């Protein structure tokens, strides 16, 4: 125990063994949906008979990347195959473009290698450090709105509507009622200073859902994992093909989207957790960035799409996580999930919704740090935070903020406040929207 306390610097970070365990468990439960969702999505492109192997690839890549984050960087961030990137892999690259799935895995491996090289030469760290403070604060708020919106959607509180895009869902349904009860219960527990309130709220809603028949009971407890014999090593075999003229553009799409998704998550969640230093920089940023790049390399070798840092990490941080030991707990749970898949699948989306909504509320605290009286700060900040939930993309929200910031500053005769790297990023983002599909 003392070795753990010293290695992860509990005293320096204001952490305790109990809060780190609760934080790690909270993060895992909040993002446990990926254990079933990622393989389910990828089977659309790879084949239904590969679900078990893809589940193994999902869990093992999430576990390894999260453990690297915890042990090497000492941050309570969790990683797993990214939502959005897995959809791009399955529906756009394989099904839409007609790229063979084995070649597509080679593309993911190639992008992971490039991630790692850019991280080792500190290009990605330089980009994070160049992010203006107003964009950092807005990113935290934008992620808060984004994950709260995900929670509202998962619970059915908001639903798609042809006329208005979204509208109020079936408010009298069981899932909506249990979600609202979970939000109120979690809020009351937080107000009363109850430790582990977010985790208790999720588990409480799950139990109530099963008892009331709104959610099915677990169909078992333990299952043996399936080794990915048809997937393991396929990416390496097809690595050179990823650099063919027809696929190099796809490599850079994976590279581009993951880079800015991870950057947005690290900056936003770190700002809310107080991890940024006096200059607004993230200490040990390069180690944190290596975790997702190495996770992508490792995951592609086992057969899954790009691994990235998850915004659901904010739920564990809100529950008290402050060190990498929480990530060790989360990583260990992903390994355990290989054998407890029936139990993990039994946690319904509406049970994690209260956690996402409450964490969204907590992350909005950063909104007061935006200089709203200064339009050259306020406009980029607003575009950043509002675009994330409305485009369902952290990277698109960052893109609009990065484009607006240097333009408004320079035309407003405040160009001395703009880092030249921000100008370059703005040009890259504009080119992305003009010339990339």
């Amino acid at each position: 125990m003392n070795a753990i306390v010293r290695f992860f610097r509990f005293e320096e970070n204001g952490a305790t063994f109990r809060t780190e365990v609760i934080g790690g468990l909270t993060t895992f439960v909040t993002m446990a949906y990926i254990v079933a969702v990622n393989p389910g999505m990828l089977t659309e492109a790879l084949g239904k008979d590969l679900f078990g192997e893809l589940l193994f690839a999902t869990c093992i890549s999430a576990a390894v990347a999260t453990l690297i984050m915890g042990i090497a960087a000492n941050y309570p961030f969790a990683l797993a195959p990214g939502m959005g990137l897995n959809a791009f892999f399955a529906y756009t690259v394989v099904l839409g473009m007609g790229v063979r799935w084995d070649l597509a895995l080679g593309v993911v491996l190639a992008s992971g290698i490039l991630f790692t090289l850019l991280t080792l030469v500190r290009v990605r760290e330089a980009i994070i450090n160049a992010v203006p403070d107003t964009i950092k604060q807005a990113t935290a708020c934008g992620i808060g709105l984004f994950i709260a919106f995900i929670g509202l959607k998962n619970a059915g509180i908001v639903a798609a509507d042809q006329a208005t895009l979204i509208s109020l869902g079936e408010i009298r349904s069981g899932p909506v009622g249990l979600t609202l009860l979970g939000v109120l219960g979690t809020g009351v527990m937080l107000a009363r200073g109850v430790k582990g309130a977010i985790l208790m709220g999720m588990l409480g809603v799950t139990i109530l859902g099963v008892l009331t028949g709104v959610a099915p009971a677990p169909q078992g407890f333990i299952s043996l994992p399936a080794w990915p014999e048809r997937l393991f090593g396929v990416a390496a075999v097809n690595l050179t093909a990823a650099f063919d003229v027809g696929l190099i553009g796809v490599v850079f799409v994976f590279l581009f989207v993951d880079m800015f998704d991870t950057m947005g998550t690290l900056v936003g969640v770190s700002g809310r957790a107080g991890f940024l230093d006096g200059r607004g920089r993230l200490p040990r940023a390069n180690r944190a960035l290596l975790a997702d790049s190495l996770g992508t390399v490792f995951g592609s070798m086992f057969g899954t799409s790009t691994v990235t840092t998850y915004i659901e990490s904010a739920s564990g941080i809100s529950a008290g996580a402050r060190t990498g030991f929480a990530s060790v707990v989360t990583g260990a749970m992903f390994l355990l999930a290989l054998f407890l898949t029936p139990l993990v699948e039994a946690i319904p989306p509406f049970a994690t919704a209260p956690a996402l909504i409450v964490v969204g509320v907590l992350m909005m605290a950063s909104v007061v740090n935006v200089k709203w009286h200064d339009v050259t700060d306020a406009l980029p900040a607003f575009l950043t935070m509002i675009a994330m939930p409305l485009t369902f993309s952290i990277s698109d929200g960052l893109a609009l903020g990065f484009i607006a910031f240097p333009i408004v500053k320079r035309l407003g005769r405040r160009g001395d406040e703009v880092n030249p790297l921000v100008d370059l990023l703005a040009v890259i983002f504009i080119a992305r929207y003009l010339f990339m599909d």
Side-chain angles (χ1 to χ4, degrees):
M1 180 74 74
N2 289 334
I4 292 175
V5 170
R6 289 194 302 271
F7 182 84
F8 292 101
R9 294 179 289 180
F10 277 20
E11 185 174 345
E12 178 183 332
N13 292 287
T16 67
F17 187 83
R18 182 175 182 273
T19 56
E20 293 302 292
V21 171
I22 289 175
L25 290 174
T26 300
T27 294
F28 173 75
V29 173
T30 308
M31 62 185 289
Y33 64 86
I34 197 65
V35 174
V37 172
N38 188 62
M41 187 174 293
L42 294 182
T43 55
E44 297 294 325
L46 278 69
K48 299 293 184 183
D49 60 324
L50 288 174
F51 182 90
E53 295 186 27
L54 288 166
L55 188 146
F56 184 99
T58 300
C59 289
I60 200 70
S61 61
V64 169
T66 303
L67 288 171
I68 292 174
M69 177 68 78
I71 296 171
N74 198 22
Y75 284 124
F77 302 132
L79 300 92
M83 290 296 294
L85 286 163
N86 51 12
F88 177 73
F89 177 97
Y91 300 116
T92 301
V93 177
V94 179
L95 298 178
M97 298 172 59
V99 177
R100 292 199 331 258
W101 65 263
D102 55 334
L103 294 180
L105 286 175
V107 167
V108 174
L109 175 58
S111 68
I113 293 173
L114 288 176
F115 294 158
T116 304
L117 293 175
L118 288 175
T119 303
L120 290 174
V121 298
R122 310 189 86 87
V123 170
R124 297 173 76 190
E125 184 178 11
I127 292 173
I128 287 182
N129 290 335
V131 178
D133 184 65
T134 189
I135 301 297
K136 289 177 179 175
Q137 302 297 339
T139 298
C141 298
I143 290 176
L145 292 172
F146 185 22
I147 62 178
F149 180 66
I150 291 173
L152 293 169
K153 180 184 73 70
N154 288 348
I157 296 175
V158 297
D161 186 280
Q162 278 192 322
T164 62
L165 297 182
I166 61 170
S167 64
L168 188 66
E170 181 48 68
I171 201 71
R172 291 175 292 183
S173 70
V176 170
L178 288 172
T179 296
L180 294 176
L181 182 63
V183 170
L184 293 175
T186 303
V188 169
M189 286 189 287
L190 286 172
R192 295 174 69 90
V194 176
K195 299 295 184 182
I198 295 175
L199 177 60
M200 291 170 63
M202 285 188 289
L203 297 179
V205 171
T206 299
I207 293 170
L208 284 175
V210 172
L211 293 177
T212 57
V214 176
Q219 298 302 304
F221 296 95
I222 299 175
S223 61
L224 292 175
W227 173 260
E229 56 183 338
R230 288 170 288 180
L231 298 176
F232 182 70
V234 168
V237 174
N238 292 279
L239 177 60
T240 55
F243 293 99
D244 290 346
V245 175
L247 292 177
I248 192 66
V250 181
V251 173
F252 281 100
V253 171
F254 277 114
L255 174 70
F256 194 87
V257 175
D258 184 49
M259 177 183 294
F260 288 98
D261 262 3
T262 297
M263 184 179 77
T265 301
L266 287 178
V267 169
V269 178
S270 295
R272 175 67 185 89
F275 294 150
L276 302 181
D277 63 20
R279 293 185 295 172
R281 298 186 174 188
L282 179 65
R284 307 183 303 282
N286 225 44
R287 298 183 190 180
L289 292 168
L290 269 176
D292 82 277
S293 60
L294 293 176
T296 294
V297 171
F298 187 87
S300 64
M301 290 295 293
F302 277 86
T304 190
S305 52
T306 305
V307 171
T308 189
T309 308
Y310 261 60
I311 57 176
E312 283 84 354
S313 303
S315 64
I317 291 170
S318 296
R322 285 296 179 273
T323 76
F325 186 66
S327 290
V328 172
V329 173
T330 304
M333 289 302 298
F334 273 114
L335 292 177
L336 188 61
L338 286 169
F339 303 91
L340 299 177
T341 302
L343 282 178
V344 174
E345 291 179 331
I347 301 173
F350 66 79
T352 61
L356 297 176
I357 295 168
V358 170
V359 170
V361 172
L362 298 176
M363 292 194 70
M364 284 302 296
S366 297
V367 75
V368 300
N369 297 322
V370 176
K371 299 175 183 176
W372 293 108
H373 60 279
D374 182 350
V375 71
T376 63
D377 275 358
L379 181 60
F382 179 78
L383 290 175
T384 299
M385 66 178 67
I386 197 66
M388 286 186 185
L390 295 186
T391 63
F392 221 74
S393 169
I394 295 173
S395 60
D396 283 333
L398 272 174
L400 293 182
F402 267 109
I403 291 170
F405 184 84
I407 292 175
V408 175
K409 287 287 186 182
R410 293 198 179 281
L411 294 183
R413 299 178 181 177
R414 304 267 292 277
D416 58 315
E417 299 177 21
V418 181
N419 187 308
L421 188 54
V422 175
D423 290 315
L424 176 61
L425 290 172
V427 171
I428 292 173
F429 276 120
I430 291 171
R432 171 195 176 192
Y433 290 122
L434 289 179
F435 303 114
M436 294 178 67
D437 294 334

